[in-house]
Amino acid sequence: MDNFEFYSPTEFVFGRERENDCGRFVKKYGGKKVLIHYGGGSAVKSGLLDRVKASLDAEGIAYVCLGGVKPNPRDTLVYEGIDLCKKEGIDFILSVGGGSCIDSAKAIAIGVPYDGDFWDFYGKGKAIEKALPVGTVLTIAAAGSEGSPSSVITKEDGMLKRGTGSDLIRPKFSILNPQLTCTLPAYQTACGATDIMAHVFERYFTNTSEVEVTDRLCEAILLTMVKEVPRVIENPDNYEARANIMWAGTVAHNDIVGVGRSQDWNSHNIEHELSGLYDVAHGAGLAVVMPAWMEFVYKHNVMRFAQMAVRIFGCQMNFENPEATALEGIYCFRRFLREIGMPINFEELGAKEEDIPVLVEKLGLGDGLTWGFVRLSSKDVAEIYMNAVRAKL
Amino acid sequence: MDNFEFYSPTEFVFGRERENDCGRFVKKYGGKKVLIHYGGGSAVKSGLLDRVKASLDAEGIAYVCLGGVKPNPRDTLVYEGIDLCKKEGIDFILSVGGGSCIDSAKAIAIGVPYDGDFWDFYGKGKAIEKALPVGTVLTIAAAGSEGSPSSVITKEDGMLKRGTGSDLIRPKFSILNPQLTCTLPAYQTACGATDIMAHVFERYFTNTSEVEVTDRLCEAILLTMVKEVPRVIENPDNYEARANIMWAGTVAHNDIVGVGRSQDWNSHNIEHELSGLYDVAHGAGLAVVMPAWMEFVYKHNVMRFAQMAVRIFGCQMNFENPEATALEGIYCFRRFLREIGMPINFEELGAKEEDIPVLVEKLGLGDGLTWGFVRLSSKDVAEIYMNAVRAKL
């Protein structure tokens, strides 16, 4: 097991109607004037925003609102948020929405106490030294941003998608009410579920051996998803299944399922170019990329893929031919994605084979290699995209 | 799933030689004058204490030392520690030892800023309002106190064992170096492992249904233990196995494997009277009590015990007779405990059947019932002790 540090100080507040507690938690973490940051009209129409405001009012906490966060959140709104916060003297950012909204809130939190351009911290390796405190009221189980130290923003000029991370932008608290996810369309639910599973798989495929505890924790989350996601696709109002998925989504990405060993993250990076270029949902892109990546790399460690097949998808181990079991596991994963309504190839996603050179170019590897389970060249990435073009069941 | 809050702000610092970082972390969390609290001579002889002191010296942090913590830590040493801290103006308690040492350190941390008797907080429900910060350098994987909000102390007068809990006594940081556990005798290693497994089982046996994610996380830890513990009993120097067990021990008790549902804890309470009366290791007592408790309660939910048998001990499900599978699971658990060198009945533990009335009396239920998976009367507890008297393989 590699040496590691694990730190997850976010206070998670889970369950029915917990958004009514958010004023209390903003107060606990020192917020006196809050930016409520949200997405589209659903938080308004559902009455969620009103409940959040009422909860802040009850504690005598002032606030201003900034809506309009889109999926693949843009730098333009972040700049707007930073200006607004500076003008209004905001000392706490409260995100009411999904992962995009949280990532945008984190970017604003970084930008307010910084004199330069917040984009300096994204994909450029500049270390974050200060940030406003962030809290979240989560409305979709997916990104895990509610418990993570990371944020991904898209630069509108060129649709460049880049990330940053620091313990300073871990949310102080995150309110997780599974009821809020019951009104999500099936497609968005499935996109979120795919993202959650991908967060675990990026950690499951490691080159560090003998870390049984992390393996088993990964499998715990994946087994939960395999059981619960079809139940919410079947019945969107199934609170228990929604609750399992929501908590699994948080645990999948606060790194407890990743400690003590190397991780991968190539599928995420390869996907980011797809959702950057076509503005498709990140989860949908992952459904197309991840099995295609698995097909490309499985020979690097056949037994690990066989383990996935047996332990997560319940395949019988083929002891005479472990490779057959490995491939069966990848097939099962893709079939699962199809069954929950995800695209599984370029065509279904709305991506084009002829754009592959552009996608590879934007990834910016040049003649270099990625890090990860298998280090990939630009040519390898092109082949993974081709696997995704050809994918079928 | 029940509403819950999950908060685990401790920074875990894991791996080889990490005790050399402890000065840095004491500084990070504001310690200027430290009480180094430790147990017997092993921390001295092994050179661990010297490395800890050197690490504090390197940061210019002053310290005083107080050793002598025993298993089932006593109130008498806590009083001594509180007096010493007040006299020396201590502002940070650093535990260098196992769970007993941490629990004693937490008790001192509570007692220093409190004007009355620290025992007021133990088993009497008085809420903790203030505590000095605590850090730990862990030397045995067992109690989970390094990431928990709880502390158990034994009052020497009457050997009364009582607990308390608060987020205020969660360690700020915990340094977990599996190397430090390699010199532990096999018996202590197995006692610790039993305690870890018991912490999970206390959460696994719940009356809240459909919390798949917590079930699977419990099973992840238990599967890890079933695999790794025999490996360290076989080869005490197996770093990888030690590392898996050490991290499993922390995860088993920071409550991530318990959220969203009712828990039990009757086995722990029933055991506390044994280790209180006979001054035996808590883990050894649990090895005797927990399977005896299982035999008494399994009919309350046969399928849950069958799930344990199948998912954790790899039994084949007997679909015609699930009760047979449930009993097979309990048998497997007891056999596992025997194989790692634990006592499985009163005689092997050094407990006496004729003391059962005293044990039941000290538990103090009177005509009442416990809480938990199955609510137990004094008569039920006596029967569980009798199961433990009669236990064999």
Side-chain angles (χ1 to χ4, degrees):
Chain A
M1 198 181 298
D2 299 336
N3 285 8
F4 67 86
E5 284 159 36
F6 177 74
Y7 181 53
S8 176
T10 302
E11 185 160 3
F12 297 105
V13 182
F14 192 98
R16 292 181 164 90
E17 300 174 13
R18 298 307 296 269
E19 63 272 18
N20 298 327
D21 295 332
C22 84
R24 188 158 63 84
F25 282 95
V26 168
K27 192 173 183 180
K28 176 172 177 181
Y29 289 101
K32 291 193 173 65
K33 187 156 186 192
V34 174
L35 177 74
I36 304 177
H37 197 41
Y38 64 99
S42 69
V44 180
K45 266 182 282 173
S46 69
L48 172 61
L49 214 59
D50 285 338
R51 295 200 295 283
V52 166
K53 287 176 182 174
S55 170
L56 293 172
D57 286 336
E59 299 289 344
I61 297 165
Y63 51 82
V64 295
C65 294
L66 177 66
V69 184
K70 291 184 205 166
N72 304 317
R74 310 304 158 88
D75 62 335
T76 43
L77 190 67
V78 173
Y79 290 117
E80 196 179 322
I82 292 168
D83 289 345
L84 181 61
C85 287
K86 286 181 173 174
K87 202 183 93 192
E88 297 280 348
I90 296 296
D91 61 11
F92 195 101
I93 317 285
L94 180 64
S95 164
V96 180
S100 296
C101 190
I102 302 172
D103 281 11
S104 185
K106 289 173 175 175
I108 295 170
I110 298 164
V112 174
Y114 180 62
D115 281 338
D117 181 352
F118 88 96
W119 192 253
D120 293 347
F121 300 103
Y122 282 74
K124 295 181 176 178
K126 189 175 169 66
I128 297 164
E129 286 174 10
K130 223 173 157 185
L132 292 187
V134 174
T136 88
V137 178
L138 189 65
T139 58
I140 174 171
S145 190
E146 69 277 9
S148 87
S150 52
S151 159
V152 177
I153 298 290
T154 298
K155 197 175 185 58
E156 206 153 280
D157 180 10
M159 291 303 272
L160 204 64
K161 203 166 179 176
R162 292 294 177 263
T164 193
S166 161
D167 282 336
L168 292 168
I169 54 172
R170 286 184 184 274
K172 299 299 177 195
F173 68 85
S174 282
I175 291 177
L176 315 177
N177 175 358
Q179 294 171 308
L180 301 178
T181 69
C182 288
T183 51
L184 281 174
Y187 185 77
Q188 268 181 266
T189 298
C191 284
T194 305
D195 196 13
I196 291 168
M197 293 179 79
H199 287 157
V200 184
F201 279 130
E202 298 281 21
R203 294 168 164 106
Y204 194 64
F205 294 103
T206 177
N207 291 316
T208 316
S209 58
E210 292 195 77
V211 192
E212 183 77 4
V213 61
T214 299
D215 258 11
R216 291 292 189 179
L217 291 170
C218 283
E219 290 158 3
I221 299 304
L222 292 166
L223 284 162
T224 300
M225 298 302 287
V226 167
K227 179 183 171 197
E228 301 295 358
V229 179
R231 296 212 301 161
V232 297
I233 299 298
E234 175 80 17
N235 173 15
D237 288 326
N238 186 328
Y239 178 84
E240 299 303 335
R242 292 279 187 190
N244 276 287
I245 293 169
M246 196 167 209
W247 185 236
T250 299
V251 176
H253 203 44
N254 81 341
D255 215 30
I256 189 121
V257 303
V259 297
R261 55 196 207 174
S262 69
Q263 305 185 1
D264 190 66
W265 298 99
N266 281 314
S267 293
H268 262 72
N269 290 329
I270 293 170
E271 191 295 312
H272 279 168
E273 300 312 325
L274 281 175
S275 51
L277 188 64
Y278 302 112
D279 208 14
V280 293
H282 175 52
L286 284 167
V288 171
V289 166
M290 191 139 233
W293 170 85
M294 288 178 175
E295 285 167 337
F296 188 79
V297 303
Y298 80 93
K299 285 185 180 167
H300 175 65
N301 189 342
V302 166
M303 287 308 247
R304 181 146 282 271
F305 279 90
Q307 179 179 316
M308 167 186 93
V310 171
R311 290 193 184 167
I312 298 159
F313 294 104
C315 302
Q316 290 286 314
M317 177 67 185
N318 185 332
F319 292 92
E320 290 187 338
N321 186 359
E323 189 168 339
T325 309
L327 287 169
E328 191 187 342
I330 300 170
Y331 173 83
C332 286
F333 180 38
R334 191 175 266 146
R335 187 182 59 194
F336 175 86
L337 293 166
R338 161 65 59 77
E339 282 170 0
I340 64 172
M342 284 288 91
I344 60 161
N345 57 38
F346 258 45
E347 190 183 347
E348 291 175 15
L349 185 69
K352 291 178 196 144
E353 182 180 338
E354 59 264 36
D355 288 338
I356 290 177
V358 179
L359 292 164
V360 172
E361 173 69 24
K362 288 187 76 171
L363 194 62
L365 276 179
D367 294 331
L369 293 174
T370 64
W371 291 98
F373 182 64
V374 173
R375 299 185 65 180
L376 305 170
S377 68
S378 290
K379 187 167 155 287
D380 297 335
V381 173
E383 285 194 40
I384 289 166
Y385 283 129
M386 274 310 298
N387 282 352
V389 169
R390 287 187 294 255
K392 60 183 168 60
L393 281 170
Chain B
M1 200 182 296
D2 299 336
N3 285 7
F4 68 86
E5 284 159 36
F6 177 73
Y7 180 52
S8 175
T10 302
E11 185 160 4
F12 297 105
V13 182
F14 192 98
R16 291 180 165 90
E17 298 174 14
R18 298 307 296 269
E19 63 271 20
N20 298 327
D21 296 333
C22 84
R24 188 159 63 84
F25 283 95
V26 168
K27 192 173 185 181
K28 177 172 176 181
Y29 290 101
K32 289 192 176 64
K33 186 154 187 194
V34 174
L35 176 75
I36 304 177
H37 196 42
Y38 64 98
S42 69
V44 180
K45 268 182 282 175
S46 70
L48 172 60
L49 214 59
D50 285 338
R51 295 200 295 284
V52 165
K53 288 175 182 174
S55 171
L56 293 172
D57 287 335
E59 299 289 343
I61 296 165
Y63 50 82
V64 294
C65 295
L66 178 66
V69 183
K70 292 185 203 164
N72 305 315
R74 309 306 157 88
D75 62 336
T76 44
L77 190 67
V78 173
Y79 290 118
E80 195 181 322
I82 292 168
D83 288 345
L84 181 61
C85 287
K86 285 182 173 173
K87 201 183 91 191
E88 296 280 347
I90 296 295
D91 61 9
F92 195 100
I93 316 285
L94 180 64
S95 163
V96 179
S100 296
C101 190
I102 302 172
D103 281 13
S104 185
K106 288 173 175 176
I108 295 170
I110 298 164
V112 174
Y114 179 62
D115 282 337
D117 181 353
F118 88 96
W119 192 253
D120 292 348
F121 300 103
Y122 283 72
K124 295 182 175 178
K126 187 173 170 69
I128 297 164
E129 285 174 10
K130 225 174 158 185
L132 292 187
V134 174
T136 88
V137 178
L138 189 65
T139 58
I140 174 170
S145 190
E146 68 278 9
S148 87
S150 51
S151 161
V152 177
I153 298 291
T154 298
K155 197 176 185 58
E156 207 153 278
D157 180 10
M159 290 303 274
L160 204 64
K161 204 167 176 176
R162 292 293 177 265
T164 192
S166 161
D167 281 337
L168 291 169
I169 55 172
R170 286 184 183 274
K172 298 299 176 196
F173 68 84
S174 282
I175 291 177
L176 315 178
N177 176 358
Q179 294 171 309
L180 301 179
T181 68
C182 288
T183 51
L184 281 174
Y187 185 77
Q188 268 181 268
T189 298
C191 284
T194 305
D195 196 14
I196 291 168
M197 294 179 79
H199 287 157
V200 183
F201 278 130
E202 298 281 21
R203 294 168 164 106
Y204 194 64
F205 294 101
T206 177
N207 291 315
T208 316
S209 57
E210 290 194 78
V211 191
E212 184 76 5
V213 62
T214 299
D215 258 11
R216 292 291 190 180
L217 291 170
C218 283
E219 289 158 4
I221 299 305
L222 292 166
L223 284 162
T224 300
M225 299 301 288
V226 167
K227 179 183 171 198
E228 302 295 358
V229 179
R231 296 213 301 159
V232 297
I233 299 298
E234 175 79 18
N235 174 13
D237 287 326
N238 186 329
Y239 178 85
E240 298 304 334
R242 291 279 186 189
N244 276 286
I245 292 169
M246 196 167 209
W247 185 236
T250 299
V251 176
H253 203 45
N254 81 341
D255 214 29
I256 189 119
V257 302
V259 298
R261 56 196 206 173
S262 68
Q263 304 185 2
D264 189 66
W265 298 99
N266 281 314
S267 294
H268 262 72
N269 290 330
I270 293 170
E271 192 294 311
H272 279 170
E273 300 312 327
L274 282 175
S275 50
L277 188 62
Y278 301 110
D279 207 13
V280 294
H282 175 52
L286 284 167
V288 171
V289 166
M290 190 141 234
W293 170 84
M294 289 178 174
E295 285 166 337
F296 187 79
V297 303
Y298 80 93
K299 286 187 180 165
H300 176 65
N301 189 341
V302 166
M303 287 308 247
R304 181 146 281 270
F305 278 89
Q307 178 179 316
M308 168 187 92
V310 171
R311 291 192 184 168
I312 297 159
F313 294 103
C315 302
Q316 291 285 314
M317 178 68 186
N318 185 332
F319 291 93
E320 289 187 338
N321 185 358
E323 190 168 338
T325 308
L327 287 169
E328 191 186 342
I330 299 169
Y331 172 82
C332 286
F333 180 39
R334 191 174 267 147
R335 187 183 58 194
F336 175 86
L337 292 167
R338 161 64 60 79
E339 282 170 2
I340 65 172
M342 284 288 91
I344 61 161
N345 57 39
F346 258 44
E347 190 184 347
E348 292 175 14
L349 185 69
K352 292 179 195 142
E353 182 180 339
E354 58 263 35
D355 288 338
I356 290 177
V358 178
L359 292 163
V360 172
E361 173 69 25
K362 287 188 76 169
L363 195 64
L365 274 178
D367 295 332
L369 293 174
T370 64
W371 290 97
F373 182 64
V374 172
R375 300 185 65 181
L376 304 171
S377 67
S378 289
K379 186 166 155 288
D380 298 334
V381 173
E383 285 194 39
I384 290 166
Y385 283 129
M386 274 310 297
N387 283 352
V389 169
R390 288 186 294 254
K392 58 182 169 60
L393 280 170

